[in-house]
Amino acid sequence: MTRTTGTPEPDLLYSAEEDALRAAVRALLADRCAPATVLAGLETARPHDPELWRALAVEIGAAGLLVPEKLGGQGAGPREAAVVLEELGRAVAPVPYLTSAVLAVTALLGCDTDRAEVAGPLAALAEGRTVGALAVPLPTAPGGTGAPTVRADAVGALTGRITSVAGAAGAGLLLVPAEGPDGPALYAVDAAADGVRTEPLTPLDLTRPLGHVALDRAPGRLLARGERARAAVDRALLTGAGLLASEQLGLAEWCLTDTVRYTGERTQFGRPIGSFQALKHRMAALWLDVASARAAARNAADALAGDHPDAPVAVAVAQAYCAPVAVRTAEECVQLHGGIGMTWEHPAHLFLKRAKADELALGTPGRHRDALAGLVGLAAP
């Protein structure tokens, strides 16, 4: 994609530091997040794997990648966070990285970080001492928040209900957009406070829990108000959607790699089924899709990292393309594994469920195509 005049060309390659980060995250997930471990965890009541999350967030320091060092983070950026999400997608890891380390952290960074009410929670998230969640419905697309469903009174007591909040069940801190006495505002709410109730849902993707959040005069701490609050939430949704494409990329890569491996081992009529021309064509087409998805996802991460003016375009392109590719690759993975792919014991269903859930998260592909048309001035026929 050509950048706006005066801005640098995108860098789609991985740096040495990003490769080292990938190696560390992949080694951790290989040791603690094997498919059998993920499947076993789904049968518990835990919203995420706390030991894995601590290792990722604290020992590797991934929770603070988007946070400047002076605020308690690692001082990296969206490119590095995208690498982590690629690996988490490859493992369908049950950790709240997207919801806490991306959405919640980016929303806080959009507020005045010189204020203790903002800097304190931000440092806690960056250091892995708490888990956060941005209290908006998971399907909300960038720029599509609409009117808040929560009201705040003059003393900061919040009342209302937000549906389908990702990560709410395991969060210690909720960032709640609300309609305050002076207009839109963003509040921090302790999830364990009086007047806060989380109603768990049974989502399609059991590795990313959802919950309805009900507030009844819950005490909130004001983080931002007016246009700044609205911009902080919109930036969080834009960053989340752009980096979600990297998770979809990692998911698709695992599905393609495992399908190629399986079809090279499974024999029929005395030969590997992967040698049949029809299956070769299908997997070659998937490889092209995944390679293109990598370019789109990397372009979005690079545009967000450089705060380029065309970042919304890059994000819309990435989500419009990567979400269907992840679903299609996961569907082919299930089908080309034959009967074994339809069983609970095989992990293929985990990837298909994550792909389908991600397709709805932070805006559907159709919603992003509509946004892209408006951004580039392409009117509908």
Side-chain angles (χ1 to χ4, degrees), residues 28-365:
L28 170 67
L29 296 175
D31 182 48
R32 304 194 188 186
C33 196
T37 304
V38 177
L39 284 167
L42 298 183
E43 298 175 358
T44 71
R46 299 185 306 178
H48 61 264
D49 184 336
E51 293 81 14
L52 176 61
W53 173 243
R54 175 173 175 77
L56 179 69
V58 180
E59 295 175 18
I60 292 181
L65 286 176
L66 297 180
V67 181
E69 292 184 63
K70 67 178 182 180
L71 297 174
Q74 305 300 319
R79 288 176 57 96
E80 291 79 7
V83 169
V84 173
L85 280 164
E86 281 184 40
E87 294 306 310
L88 296 178
R90 289 178 64 92
V92 285
V95 293
Y97 190 82
L98 178 70
T99 51
S100 182
V102 176
L103 290 172
V105 161
T106 306
L108 283 171
L109 287 171
C111 304
D112 184 358
T113 55
D114 289 333
R115 296 178 58 214
E117 295 88 345
V118 177
L122 187 59
L125 292 180
E127 295 166 6
R129 289 186 279 114
T130 191
V131 174
L134 179 61
V136 298
L138 183 59
T140 306
T145 51
T149 57
V150 174
R151 300 281 174 176
D153 63 18
V155 297
L158 278 61
T159 301
R161 190 168 185 265
I162 313 106
T163 60
S164 303
V165 178
L173 176 69
L174 299 173
L175 305 182
V176 183
E179 188 66 27
D182 302 316
L186 183 64
Y187 290 85
V189 177
D190 292 330
D194 291 338
V196 181
R197 186 175 76 259
T198 300
E199 306 162 6
L201 300 175
T202 302
L204 173 64
D205 174 18
L206 295 174
T207 65
R208 179 166 285 152
L210 301 177
H212 301 322
V213 176
L215 305 172
D216 183 10
R217 294 194 55 77
R221 301 182 297 280
L222 181 65
L223 300 173
R225 59 161 57 95
E227 185 55 35
R228 183 158 198 171
R230 183 183 290 109
V233 174
D234 284 345
R235 183 66 185 185
L237 294 172
L238 181 71
T239 302
L243 297 187
L244 178 62
S246 291
E247 177 179 287
Q248 292 161 334
L249 167 62
L251 185 156
E253 286 182 330
W254 184 92
C255 290
L256 176 58
T257 300
D258 200 67
T259 302
V260 171
R261 177 199 60 77
Y262 177 78
T263 56
E265 298 173 352
R266 175 77 166 89
T267 60
Q268 192 174 55
F269 306 116
R271 57 188 287 194
I273 61 174
S275 66
F276 298 151
Q277 192 76 359
L279 298 192
K280 286 183 179 180
H281 287 170
R282 287 169 69 171
M283 287 183 283
L286 290 177
W287 184 89
L288 289 172
D289 286 343
V290 172
S292 298
R294 182 180 299 108
R298 291 299 295 168
N299 183 54
D302 185 65
L304 290 167
D307 200 19
H308 296 303
D310 59 354
V313 173
V315 170
V317 168
Q319 269 305 304
Y321 190 82
C322 293
V325 166
V327 171
R328 185 162 56 252
T329 310
E331 288 173 341
E332 288 283 73
C333 178
V334 170
Q335 187 174 43
L336 295 180
H337 274 77
I340 191 175
M342 300 299 294
T343 64
W344 176 268
E345 288 74 15
H346 194 277
H349 68 94
L350 296 175
F351 292 85
L352 179 56
K353 291 169 183 175
R354 173 67 70 89
K356 290 296 291 184
D358 280 358
E359 189 178 34
L360 302 178
L362 303 174
T364 63

